[in-house]
Amino acid sequence: MTAARLMRVAARAALPVLTAAHVAPVVSTFGPLRNRVMPRLSGRGRTGHVALTFDDGPDPASTPLFLRLLADRGVHATFFLLGHQAHRSPGLVREIAAAGHEIGIHGWLHRPLLLRGPRATYDDFARARDTVAGITGRQPRLFRPPYGVMSAAAHLAARRLDLTPVLWTCWGEDWTARATPESVHRTVTADLDGGGTILLHDSDCTSAPGAWRSALGALPLVLDTCEQRGYEVGRLADHGWPRPRVASTA
């Protein structure tokens, strides 16, 4: 057997192993399992505090309404921005930052990471990070994958770019056409507890048209419930994120 053929046989034999390693982190997508055994990835923070986060912005049609409501309530949040959306609305990105909100990245494009290799994954994260940094003058430290689905390549790229992946402990299912403020509030608060992280969307760029209205309508209800339960609401930075990495002793 020639060396070239040996290499082809070895590559074919290794492919299932490499594929399994690439998709293995997808288990973190299952919320109940993640919340129980992966508290760091779920965004678990200090007891008595709830982190409020938004995905898919910024959107000139909707994000300013969220910013106005948050300002009226005296609440700060973390916005995970899509790079291409930020590129289109740099003034709005600066407005989010100037209001005291925290900015993380949601990738450049909202596409599944399982369909991307290491190079494409790294380039996507880096482009989004550098775009936001160029607009705000401050490099983002937090990252949330599209659809909440991680891959091995995503973990490696995030580490190389000094980004900390953070998912959530409860969400509102506010991206569907059938969502209402009441359904979003009910879904969020069913799993809401101290130390948790809430996911809502301030844009419908990847959701049903106008779906953001259900999140906007639910937001005062969610904040009222947090207040009634004695939870402080704020950014992931106020929640204890990103946590310092443990230095290697090797």
Side-chain angles (χ1 to χ4, degrees):
M1 184 180 292
T2 65
R5 186 176 179 186
L6 280 171
M7 291 180 65
R8 288 196 296 270
V9 171
R12 285 196 294 269
L15 185 59
V17 176
L18 294 174
T19 300
H22 179 66
V23 304
V26 77
V27 299
S28 64
T29 307
F30 183 56
L33 173 64
R34 180 180 72 244
N35 294 343
R36 186 166 59 251
V37 303
M38 304 175 189
R40 177 176 171 80
L41 185 59
S42 296
R44 278 284 168 196
R46 58 187 179 87
T47 304
H49 184 271
V50 169
L52 177 62
T53 70
F54 296 93
D55 284 6
D56 291 1
D59 188 332
S62 52
T63 302
L65 301 177
F66 286 85
L67 295 178
R68 190 177 310 154
L69 193 157
L70 292 171
D72 290 343
R73 296 295 294 255
V75 172
H76 292 115
T78 300
F79 287 78
F80 286 95
L81 306 184
L82 288 167
H84 75 96
Q85 292 282 99
H87 178 70
R88 292 174 179 174
S89 302
L92 187 50
V93 176
R94 286 188 285 267
E95 184 179 345
I96 294 171
H101 301 295
E102 182 178 35
I103 295 179
I105 65 167
H106 200 33
W108 179 260
L109 295 173
H110 200 282
R111 293 177 180 170
L113 295 177
L114 291 180
L115 302 181
R116 296 180 180 175
R119 170 51 61 183
T121 299
Y122 178 89
D123 290 346
D124 181 272
F125 291 8
R127 189 179 183 188
R129 184 199 64 172
D130 294 347
T131 296
V132 170
I135 295 170
T136 65
R138 188 171 185 176
Q139 185 167 296
R141 295 288 308 283
L142 300 176
F143 164 73
R144 178 172 287 162
Y147 307 105
V149 178
M150 292 293 289
S151 66
H155 279 290
L156 291 172
R159 189 165 188 85
R160 288 178 60 194
L161 293 165
D162 196 25
L163 294 169
T164 299
V166 186
L167 299 183
W168 58 86
T169 63
C170 55
W171 61 7
E173 296 184 3
D174 53 344
W175 58 86
T176 68
R178 66 178 181 276
T180 65
E182 292 73 25
S183 73
V184 173
H185 171 251
R186 184 170 58 252
T187 305
V188 167
T189 55
D191 295 318
L192 179 65
D193 61 358
T197 291
I198 297 171
L199 163 63
L200 295 173
H201 295 78
D202 64 306
S203 168
D204 63 6
C205 71
T206 64
S207 307
W212 60 266
R213 298 180 188 277
S214 64
L216 183 67
L219 187 53
L221 306 175
V222 170
L223 295 176
D224 288 345
T225 297
C226 288
E227 184 176 351
Q228 292 162 9
R229 295 185 185 181
Y231 301 145
E232 178 188 357
V233 180
R235 308 166 299 178
L236 280 161
D238 308 314
H239 208 42
W241 286 86
R243 297 176 184 173
R245 292 188 177 126
V246 177
S248 173
T249 58

